[in-house]
Amino acid sequence: MSGQETQHFWNIDRIMKLIIGLAIACVLILLIGYLRDVLLPFFAACFIAYILQPLVDLNRKFTHEKGRAVSSILTVLEVLAVVAGIIYLFMPHVIKELDVLNEIIHEVTSGKRPMPKEYVDVITWVENYVKPSDIKSQLTDLHIGSIISKGTSLLNESISVILDVLGWALTVIYVLFILIDYPQIVRGFKLIIPHKYRENALVVVKDVQTSMDHYFRGQGLVAMCAAVFYCIGFSIVGLPLAVPMGILVGILYMIPYFQYVTLIPVAIICAIYSLSGEITFISLFGRSLLVYVISQCICDYILTPHIMGKEMGMNAALILLSLSIWGSLLGIIGMIIALPVSSLIMAYYERYISNPQASK
């Protein structure tokens, strides 16, 4: 734009609207930050419902339902059944492996088992911050059989535990109702926009929705496949806690390059298990690295191009930056809304500020 066009574009009216908009945004950020503990179940439920929306549509085709209630209930039950099945099948094995790691640490710290000098710092750090016995006790409390056997004794637990359970239950209820009324909720958000700006705003929203659909659902499918590959690979090479580590890698796969953060706990597990004398650290950690290499090659060069195409929407560096900024501002809620809000801001900037003539 020329200098005269720029001056005409940035008039007093536009500048005041920008200032008012920024002030409203700041107030909303402060309000969400103040209420984030209360709003967290709702925002988490919105994100989960958004991810599960294709599954609801699939269930509607199978049930031939005109509404959404039955298919939404089926979707929630299917997801809960899968999660409960995973816990039921793998929790005993995980607890058994935690017992083995805890026994190794106990024998080393008590002097029953000789420990090389290079392992002293690792064992001390694990004993201070990541005790397998503490993890085991938490997982045991989550075991379905243990919860059922306790019966009414659950009421005698601390208030914080009860509130945590209610928080998870509230999230499930939120997910169910959001799935049932998903089209109405989406339509309601569109009606919030003033009629004067609705047409232009919906163009930006549609761009963001396409980008988010492309990223979240595509990357979610790739992350699910990655979790399966890592669980199988870690199990084959004999890594303790193979299933939890594989699932953790799959979850972190939603954030570009964050899956490599799991190399640290994998290295610690390998170091502890190598103290048993059954296998060396280099051998076990080398096999685990081979799992990373093979799984990443399959995901990056076979699955990602076919599922998501060559473009992932936002640049990986911008994704990490937006997650860092919004996460520091609003905690977990900020990380949930980081990508949609950042995409909305970028789409608005490119269409109406960077190149306003193109939007006319």
Side-chain angles (χ1 to χ4, degrees), residues 49-50 53 56-57 60 66-69 71-72 175-191 209 217:
Y50 171 78
Q53 177 59 27
V56 175
D57 293 335
R60 288 184 68 193
K66 293 183 178 180
R68 297 175 56 88
S71 55
S72 298
V175 170
L176 179 59
F177 285 120
I178 291 172
L179 286 175
I180 293 174
D181 296 327
Y182 191 84
Q184 290 83 353
I185 292 173
V186 173
R187 194 179 305 114
F189 277 121
K190 293 179 180 179
L191 293 176
Q209 182 179 359
R217 290 172 182 160

Side-chain angles (χ1 to χ4, degrees), residues 24-37 39 330:
I24 293 174
C26 291
V27 171
L28 287 176
I29 291 174
L30 291 174
L31 184 61
I32 293 174
Y34 179 74
L35 299 174
R36 58 185 175 185
D37 292 336
L39 294 175
L330 301 175

